[in-house]
Amino acid sequence: MEEKKMMTPLTKGLILGMITVVLSLLLQTFIPDLKEQQKYSWASLIIIFGGIIWACWSYAKDMNGNVTFGNVFAHGFKTTAVLTSISVVFTVITVTLIFPDLKDRAMENAREQMIEQGQLNDTQIDQAIEMTKKFFTVFAIGGVIISNLLIGVIASLIGGGVVKKNPNPTPFESDNLQ
């Protein structure tokens, strides 16, 4: 009997990471206005969410249902960790090399929003913009980490909860639980 190859969390994370990188590059290239991009940012989140659930489901299927909630959750979270690592590296490269004007566009967008809210005077707005400029990359990385991990945990919990599990694996199959 031929043994089928399972995709690892690394492979699944790389696939999801590449999909989100391509989507981000397309948005940055074809929709340079940040306000317009925000309208489409949900698409990346849906891809991540659905991709992590898919990773959990395919893992359980590959294991013929001989999994526990913890096994499936761990698989989904490992996939999330790989995806998040790719996203962080891509964010740094994007902000510093590919689209260095992104920081200036984001600062101008933030300035417009602060002016519209009318709660700060010009000096306070300038101070806030300067502070944000200094830590822009750190804030961007933090946002990517928090959002990806939060979505990944929720999707892994759902994936672990909804996949079909075989509650009584035979003693010979229990070695496959990892």
Side-chain angles (χ1 to χ4, degrees), residues 4-43:
K4 66 179 178 179
K5 292 188 177 190
M6 292 182 3
M7 279 203 301
T8 65
L10 175 64
T11 304
K12 293 172 184 174
L14 288 171
I15 291 169
L16 289 173
M18 291 303 111
I19 291 170
T20 57
V21 163
V22 168
L23 179 62
S24 178
L25 287 172
L26 289 172
L27 283 174
Q28 288 290 332
T29 303
F30 295 112
I31 308 174
D33 181 27
L34 291 178
K35 287 181 182 177
E36 285 295 313
Q37 281 180 18
Q38 288 174 347
K39 292 179 184 176
Y40 300 101
S41 63
W42 56 266

Side-chain angles (χ1 to χ4, degrees), residues 57-105:
W57 173 81
S58 72
Y59 171 70
K61 183 180 175 203
D62 289 344
M63 299 299 291
N64 295 320
N66 294 329
V67 293
T68 65
F69 173 84
N71 297 133
V72 178
F73 176 83
H75 189 86
F77 194 76
K78 289 174 189 175
T79 304
T80 301
V82 172
L83 166 68
T84 301
S85 299
I86 292 168
S87 297
V88 166
V89 170
F90 176 70
T91 298
V92 171
I93 291 171
T94 298
V95 171
T96 58
L97 300 174
I98 300 174
F99 299 107
D101 66 320
L102 181 64
K103 183 192 302 185
D104 294 330
R105 290 186 292 144

Side-chain angles (χ1 to χ4, degrees), residues 7 14 33 38 55 58 82 120 125 137 149 152 163 172 174:
M7 279 203 301
L14 288 171
D33 181 27
Q38 288 174 347
S58 72
V82 172
L120 302 174
I125 290 174
T137 304
L149 291 180
V163 298
F172 301 109
S174 63

